[in-house]
Amino acid sequence: MSTTAADASARIRETFGVEAAVDGAMVTVVVPRELWTELAHFTNRVLGCRYFNWLSAIDWKEHGLEVVCRLENLDAGLVLTMRTRLGPGETRCPSLAGLCRGADWMERECYDMFGVRFEGHPDLRRILLSEDWEGYPLRKDYAVDTPFAPYR
Amino acid sequence: MPDTLTKQVVEVGYGGNERLMMNMGPQHPSSHGVFRMILTLEGETVVAVDAVIGYLHRCHEKLGETLTYVQYPSIASKTDYVAAMTSELAYVSAVETIAKVEVPKRAQYLRVIAAELQRIASHCLWLGTWCLDMGGALGGGATVFLYCIREREMVLDRFEELTGARLLYGFHQIGGTRYDLPPGWDTKVRETVDFIEARLDEYEAMLEENTFFRVRTQGVGVISRELAQAVGVSGPLIRGSGVSYDVRRAEPYSSYGDFDFVVPVETAGDCYARYRVRMVEFRQSIRIVRQALDGLPEGPISSRPGVKSVGQVRVPKGEGYARVEGARGEVGCYIVSDGGPKAYRMKWRGASFSNLAVLPHIVPGHKVADVVAIMGSVDPVFGEVDR
């Protein structure tokens, strides 16, 4: 089993043909959406990154949403950050909930705040906001003072 | 006639094949905040849990994009308000990582002292409230609660002398700390930790020799090593499940490499294991506080000038993630900067959020009364869950 960041980077490059930048113990991989679950499986099973740290998204305005996920191999001290750009106007992303149970709530939060629709998530509904909330607050086009009747 | 009635009651109430939905919360005393669990029961046994969170959501991440790097640290302390020192530290560390700001050695030591005292205060509150929740089984759990709150109050008094505030401190700023130690403070801190250390033996004697306490915690709420990693729990929860993961060791920040301390690990994964981990952490924190006070270097407490305007701190374009070991586990902050005075995107990785996410996996199969014991052993702070 490969353990160092350089090893992990090399193996990802030869398996998926994508760049894997190394910075200390951290490997950052940018993949197209089609490879998202495949890379997560590879990271989890082959590289031993079984610790699910967090998952979130960034809104790049006209360039669309980007989903970021951080997985770790605690024994080897390896950190892997996976990133994928969904593309302008696109909100679908494959779910990791079947692979890591921690992705369940994190993906629900990401859906709640950004409207990313995780395909294959068993129970995708809002988690922090109420069911009747309109819009996705962490998107850049959602104004801080958006009215919410009857409260504001 | 009475016979038939009795029979009916027995069939419906104790047959075990009827499912009942029970709402626990959002104002349940054991939730220590606002948290709702929809329990599906078969008799007295829980078969499914739907956890409803978000009652305390205050848009922390949106605020992080709306307020400047100078303004936000005081808001950061409101995420985990029971351990405000560490949540502030996570935020300023993230900004320092991206901006490549050096922190003077003295400030790093002051941060360690504050963080470890905060851990002691937070664990005091956890122990007290947890024992209060299990109440009657401990022969009136309010005893432990009052003792613990008394000890916590002593630490809060030290924080008040240091920062002027009891709970939300504003102690950290980008580049260092805002306040230096007041005269005579270190002597008082030493007295405080000496007092608490002596009391810990009493708590352990009170609890561990109590059969009811052991029965209610041992073998209850077991988190396996695999589950702990798959869900991403951290802090005493993951260390109680046999994984030696502590951010202070995994990625030492703020001079933690200078101190000699032990990371406790228990393998049972139950409530009792988590209790043991926290009891050892109390003592290790006291050890670190003493070492930091002994070796406190002289020098400046901040590498940056005092704050004059809200837009003063500018961070170059880039992104970074910084994490610290809070009282409840890994508290992290991920910031994307576009070069302006505000973060473009800020994400909190709250320890309580991930820790609480384990509940639906461990509660089924237990009795309703155990739900309270398990919840308490997870030690969630809802400010950090809901952010």
Side-chain angles (χ1 to χ4, degrees):
Chain A
M1 186 191 279
S2 62
T3 45
T4 67
D7 279 348
S9 160
R11 295 193 64 173
I12 289 168
R13 209 174 294 133
E14 84 194 35
T15 316
F16 295 96
V18 292
E19 264 321 296
V22 179
D23 177 17
M26 186 162 85
V27 182
T28 308
V29 195
V30 184
V31 284
R33 193 175 47 156
E34 294 73 42
L35 292 175
W36 182 248
T37 27
E38 219 177 307
L39 177 68
H41 269 96
F42 181 81
T43 310
N44 188 297
R45 301 277 144 77
V46 183
L47 302 177
C49 294
R50 294 200 179 80
Y51 186 73
F52 184 88
N53 202 324
W54 54 265
L55 179 143
S56 193
I58 305 165
D59 183 2
W60 294 107
K61 292 176 185 167
E62 65 275 12
H63 302 294
L65 296 163
E66 180 175 24
V67 179
V68 184
C69 177
R70 185 179 163 110
L71 298 164
E72 289 186 41
N73 181 338
L74 296 180
D75 302 321
L78 173 70
V79 179
L80 199 122
T81 309
M82 311 192 325
R83 315 177 67 112
T84 184
R85 293 267 184 150
L86 302 183
E90 182 60 77
T91 56
R92 288 172 301 142
C93 178
S95 169
L96 302 182
L99 178 70
C100 302
R101 276 166 282 190
D104 184 348
W105 280 26
M106 291 275 180
E107 285 180 353
R108 276 178 67 190
E109 188 190 345
C110 195
Y111 162 70
D112 200 357
M113 295 294 155
F114 289 93
V116 180
R117 281 165 215 285
F118 290 94
E119 294 177 321
H121 190 287
D123 185 24
L124 196 66
R125 58 195 160 105
R126 290 192 182 270
I127 187 167
L128 294 178
L129 303 178
S130 55
E131 289 292 331
D132 59 347
W133 195 276
E134 282 169 24
Y136 302 104
L138 283 180
R139 287 214 189 150
K140 290 291 171 188
D141 57 7
Y142 190 98
V144 176
D145 53 359
T146 303
F148 183 65
Y151 307 107
R152 190 178 61 214
Chain B
M1 186 70 178
D3 279 359
T4 348
L5 262 182
T6 319
K7 196 158 180 272
Q8 273 176 353
V9 170
V10 168
E11 273 175 8
V12 174
Y14 306 103
N17 45 17
E18 290 254 328
R19 290 206 166 180
L20 176 76
M21 304 283 272
M22 193 178 81
N23 190 42
M24 193 166 167
Q27 294 292 349
H28 193 274
S30 80
S31 68
H32 307 249
V34 269
F35 174 54
R36 178 178 171 212
M37 273 184 286
I38 304 166
L39 305 173
T40 308
L41 306 177
E42 264 179 19
E44 184 75 357
T45 311
V46 181
V47 289
V49 181
D50 185 13
V52 183
I53 60 172
Y55 294 97
L56 218 53
H57 180 57
R58 292 145 299 158
C59 333
H60 265 282
E61 293 179 11
K62 193 78 173 176
L63 277 171
E65 297 167 15
T66 317
L67 300 176
T68 66
Y69 295 115
V70 174
Q71 291 171 313
Y72 193 75
S74 63
I75 303 292
S77 62
K78 277 122 190 145
T79 55
D80 181 352
Y81 42 73
V82 176
M85 283 288 187
T86 35
S87 31
E88 276 173 31
L89 183 55
Y91 180 79
V92 296
S93 305
V95 179
E96 284 159 2
T97 310
I98 314 171
K100 299 191 170 57
V101 173
E102 286 293 317
V103 180
K105 198 79 177 164
R106 185 177 176 86
Q108 295 187 13
Y109 272 57
L110 292 180
R111 285 178 174 188
V112 168
I113 296 170
E116 294 306 321
L117 284 175
Q118 182 71 85
R119 193 183 318 280
I120 296 169
S122 174
H123 281 6
C124 278
L125 188 71
W126 155 77
L127 183 64
T129 50
W130 187 45
C131 291
L132 186 67
D133 291 344
M134 292 194 291
L138 305 178
T143 314
V144 185
F145 176 72
L146 291 174
Y147 285 164
C148 288
I149 291 297
R150 177 188 59 189
E151 267 70 285
R152 174 170 180 263
E153 206 60 30
M154 294 175 72
V155 179
L156 297 189
D157 285 346
R158 300 293 88 79
F159 281 145
E160 192 173 355
E161 289 155 10
L162 181 65
T163 66
R166 290 176 72 252
L167 291 172
L168 307 168
Y169 309 104
F171 179 66
H172 302 285
Q173 62 177 13
I174 291 149
T177 62
R178 190 160 287 160
Y179 310 104
D180 208 336
L181 303 189
W185 194 76
D186 61 330
T187 322
K188 283 186 186 171
V189 169
R190 280 177 212 274
E191 283 166 13
T192 306
V193 295
D194 287 347
F195 182 85
I196 294 174
E197 194 174 37
R199 291 293 175 172
L200 287 175
D201 297 331
E202 290 182 14
Y203 301 157
E204 286 180 342
M206 268 172 83
L207 296 171
E208 289 170 23
E209 287 166 21
N210 184 328
T211 315
F212 293 110
F213 177 74
R214 282 174 170 269
V215 168
R216 292 211 60 187
T217 54
Q218 284 178 335
V220 173
V222 177
I223 305 175
S224 71
R225 195 187 156 92
E226 289 69 36
L227 180 67
Q229 297 211 33
V231 175
V233 304
S234 52
L237 269 73
I238 199 165
R239 292 192 284 276
S241 296
V243 182
S244 175
Y245 172 55
D246 187 318
V247 181
R248 293 174 294 177
R249 273 286 150 74
E251 198 180 324
Y253 55 93
S254 199
S255 293
Y256 265 106
D258 296 1
F259 306 112
D260 183 23
F261 63 98
V262 177
V263 175
V265 178
E266 292 278 334
T267 50
D270 56 5
C271 294
Y272 190 77
R274 299 192 271 280
Y275 154 82
R276 277 309 313 160
V277 167
R278 290 196 180 95
M279 292 314 275
V280 179
E281 280 184 10
F282 263 123
R283 295 200 167 81
Q284 296 304 322
S285 291
I286 290 172
R287 237 176 115 186
I288 298 171
V289 168
R290 288 196 182 121
Q291 290 174 50
L293 285 172
D294 289 339
L296 189 64
E298 293 298 320
I301 56 162
S302 181
S303 61
R304 295 179 57 86
V307 174
K308 296 241 165 41
S309 72
V310 290
Q312 194 176 334
V313 175
R314 280 185 183 267
V315 171
K317 215 171 165 174
E319 56 177 75
Y321 177 69
R323 51 183 180 170
V324 299
E325 183 71 26
R328 271 156 274 284
E330 175 177 340
V331 184
C333 191
Y334 173 69
I335 294 177
V336 179
S337 166
D338 59 357
K342 299 173 186 173
Y344 181 79
R345 164 87 178 105
M346 193 206 79
K347 155 134 188 101
W348 270 112
R349 191 267 188 221
S352 298
F353 182 86
S354 297
N355 288 355
L356 198 70
V358 84
L359 270 191
H361 303 290
I362 58 170
V363 166
H366 287 92
K367 300 272 189 277
V368 178
D370 290 333
V371 176
V372 174
I374 296 170
M375 262 278 293
S377 78
V378 168
D379 187 23
V381 167
F382 285 89
E384 202 188 17
V385 175
D386 300 338
R387 285 154 290 140

